[in-house]
Amino acid sequence: MNHYDAIIIGAGFSGLYQLHFLRENLGLNVKILETADNVGGTWFWNRYPGSRCDTESKAYTYYFSKELYEDWNWSERYPTQPEIEKYLNYVCDKLDLRKDIEFQTKVTDLIYDNERKTWTTLTNNKEKFSSKFIISAVGCLSYANMPVIPNKNKFQGEIYHTGDWPKIEPELANKNIGIIGTGSTGIQVIPEVAKLAKKLTVFQRTPNYSVPANNYKLTQNQKNQANIDFHKSKELMFQHRGGHPWTHSHISAKATEVTKRNALYEKAWANGGLSFRDTFSDLSIDADSNLTASQFIINKIKKIIKNPDTAAMLTDFDHPFGSKRPPIDTNYYETFNRKNVDLINIRKDPIKSFKTNGITTEKNDYELEVLIFATGFDALTGTLLNMNIIGDNNISLKNIWQTGPKTNLGLLVPNFPNLFLITGPGSPAVLTNMPRAIEQHVEWIGNCIKYMLKNDYDSIQTTVEAADDWTENVQEAVKDNFFLSAKHSWYLGGNIPGKPKIFIPYAGGLNKYREICDLVAQNDYRGCIFTKTT
Ligand code: NAP
């Protein structure tokens, strides 16, 4: 059995930086185990047509090394999946990480031995590793949600999930294609597939408020400016609750005179992107203010869509703006004006089953050669709970998280010594620009391990009390936010049948969260117990 100081699971943004940090700063012997045959994580699997990041390229990148930042040139305002995949390969090669990654290796079991203070890792290839530390870098959106539709094996067409898209691009041209799902992914894939398909049928359960991305190619001047602004952008992201490079608004929408308010919305709409939701300070907590944003977007959609029935379907919202992760788009609404695109309301006419050449709803039949599921993920806990993770005293993670995840800071789990979670449940994670949350976690974990080595500690474990307190804190932080009103949202586990309906990420802001984490570390990792073998 091969022994390592640390095993990291996953070779996406988190795993790559964690490997670099532990190897270069602490001189540890580290191995990444990765299911895919290359690096990329979410950007390896989500290679569907139109896949692109909603965060701007100048921000959706590592900031831990200025040299790494300056030596890479993004070509567009928002990076495409192929470009992010290339970027992560560039980082991997530049930092010489590949030699410490084992690809095509899926972790199936993690078992802790309290006497030896060691984890055993088992894989699908029947390999066995031992290590002092396990660091989960499995990503928040890595376990695809595939709805169960009866008679799937009868269907003679092709089925794809956007989160597990084949490396060899499927032939979609001139086919009858269906897409289920209109979240951030559906909104990206629909316009691209519409251009290829003979006919595209979109099966929508819930419409989403989408804002234009306003993507463009970056000029050399813009690239140079991003390099000049490196420290300024880093500081802005550091201060922002979501880790984005802009400042928070301090103006209330409802308190702003209507002409001025509309002018600010128009400006934000023309600018495009995720900053639209920061146009005013109270859109996520005040119903009247929120209504002004929803109404503005509804009016925009109705102006774009030619068919009033389609417009009505696309604006039949059951949740306030921003209560689900707001998507951004390129020609999403315009796509529904195409002659080859139909929109079907499956809330009114639910899908019943597959048939040999398509699917059947309660009232209709649809002939399809290809069906694409853009149905999202079992977010934040799905991948973790699909491994068999056994901690101290034979306690299984699956059992103790039956009623919802309990962590200290989203980083540590009681009874699971020396297991660290990067962007785990209970941390700001998916509510942020991910690379900022990832860098903060990688550095916190790395510094914690450094502290342990310095003090000759051989294990760290959070107390149950500290994890209970933090879990309460996570619920407290979201109680005034509209996030709780979108009952089917994946933030709440509402998209997965049987999943506990509990708000999972920490909504108090990455800036505040970072201060809390720093304080815990400065106070000798308050809430944690260390052991030392003498
Ligand atoms: P999602 O937001 O969970 O959307 C899934 C869609 O599938 C929803 O429209 C949902 O309808 C529908 N759906 C789920 N189960 C269904 C079922 N059984 N029957 C019919 N419809 C069903 O997933 P996503 O679009 O993949 O996005 C997930 C997250 O990934 C995003 O919120 C974002 O954080 C991230 N993402 C980021 C980017 C980016 O940065 N570019 C791109 C894509 C995704 P309901 O709403 O009715 O549940």
Side-chain angles (χ1 to χ4, degrees), residues 43 48 52-55 141 145 147 162 180-186 188 203 205-206 208 324-325 346-347 351 374-377 430 488 490-491 495:
W43 298 106
Y48 56 85
R52 181 189 285 280
C53 186
D54 288 349
T55 298
L141 298 160
N145 168 35
T162 46
I180 303 179
T182 51
S184 300
T185 303
Q188 289 186 332
F203 298 94
R205 193 163 65 181
T206 315
N208 236 309
K324 286 183 170 179
R325 157 58 157 82
I346 52 169
R347 197 170 288 289
I351 296 173
T375 44
F377 303 89
V430 290
H488 302 291
W490 58 264
Y491 290 154
N495 62 334

Side-chain angles (χ1 to χ4, degrees), residues 138-407:
V138 298
C140 301
L141 298 160
S142 46
Y143 195 83
N145 168 35
M146 194 62 163
V148 178
I149 299 177
N151 296 333
K152 186 176 170 191
N153 53 1
K154 280 196 184 156
F155 182 54
Q156 287 173 357
E158 299 152 63
I159 295 178
Y160 301 104
H161 191 289
T162 46
D164 189 12
W165 197 262
K167 251 184 151 177
I168 298 170
E169 189 57 33
E171 189 47 72
L172 301 177
N174 294 317
K175 290 193 174 158
N176 254 340
I177 301 175
I179 296 183
I180 303 179
T182 51
S184 300
T185 303
I187 279 171
Q188 289 186 332
V189 75
I190 287 164
E192 294 306 312
V193 171
K195 290 183 211 160
L196 301 169
K198 181 163 73 189
K199 183 168 172 56
L200 171 63
T201 309
V202 175
F203 298 94
Q204 173 191 272
R205 193 163 65 181
T206 315
N208 236 309
Y209 300 87
S210 186
V211 170
N214 187 14
N215 187 35
Y216 45 74
K217 294 252 185 268
L218 293 172
T219 62
Q220 193 53 50
N221 277 350
Q222 285 167 318
K223 292 177 196 178
N224 296 344
Q225 193 59 46
N227 288 344
I228 294 167
D229 289 344
F230 178 84
H231 293 293
K232 199 166 98 190
S233 302
K234 197 171 176 179
E235 187 53 32
L236 270 176
M237 292 188 279
F238 207 72
Q239 305 292 342
H240 189 270
R241 53 187 292 116
H244 288 286
W246 57 76
T247 49
H248 296 289
S249 164
H250 296 290
I251 319 168
S252 153
K254 71 175 180 195
T256 304
E257 186 274 320
V258 66
T259 316
K260 186 173 173 204
R261 185 169 66 215
N262 281 335
L264 287 171
Y265 277 137
E266 286 293 353
K267 191 171 164 210
W269 186 267
N271 179 49
L274 293 175
S275 60
F276 182 88
R277 62 189 166 177
D278 270 345
T279 314
F280 295 101
S281 60
D282 52 357
L283 297 182
S284 58
I285 48 170
D286 185 283
D288 293 336
S289 287
N290 186 284
L291 207 58
T292 66
S294 324
Q295 206 47 58
F296 179 86
I297 297 175
I298 289 170
N299 290 342
K300 287 284 184 194
I301 300 170
K302 287 188 170 164
K303 267 195 196 137
I304 300 170
I305 304 290
K306 290 186 183 139
N307 179 331
D309 293 337
T310 308
M313 262 193 269
L314 287 166
T315 52
D316 184 18
F317 297 113
D318 67 349
H319 57 285
F321 167 69
S323 57
K324 286 183 170 179
R325 157 58 157 82
I328 64 172
D329 71 275
T330 300
N331 293 329
Y332 175 62
Y333 294 112
E334 290 79 354
T335 298
F336 292 96
N337 290 334
R338 292 176 69 108
K339 286 205 173 70
N340 68 335
V341 177
D342 276 348
L343 180 65
I344 307 300
N345 183 342
I346 52 169
R347 197 170 288 289
K348 287 205 172 132
D349 183 15
I351 296 173
K352 236 172 57 186
S353 72
F354 277 103
K355 54 177 190 159
T356 48
N357 60 347
I359 57 172
T360 309
T361 60
E362 281 180 4
K363 296 180 191 149
N364 283 300
D365 275 345
Y366 297 92
E367 288 196 5
L368 302 170
E369 295 166 274
V370 179
L371 182 58
I372 297 172
F373 287 84
T375 44
F377 303 89
D378 182 347
L380 288 138
T381 56
T383 304
L384 284 169
L385 293 179
N386 274 281
M387 291 184 279
N388 177 39
I389 307 183
I390 306 293
D392 211 0
N393 299 318
N394 233 0
I395 288 175
S396 131
L397 192 67
K398 253 182 221 136
N399 283 345
I400 59 158
W401 280 9
Q402 257 175 21
T403 52
K406 263 192 190 169
T407 65

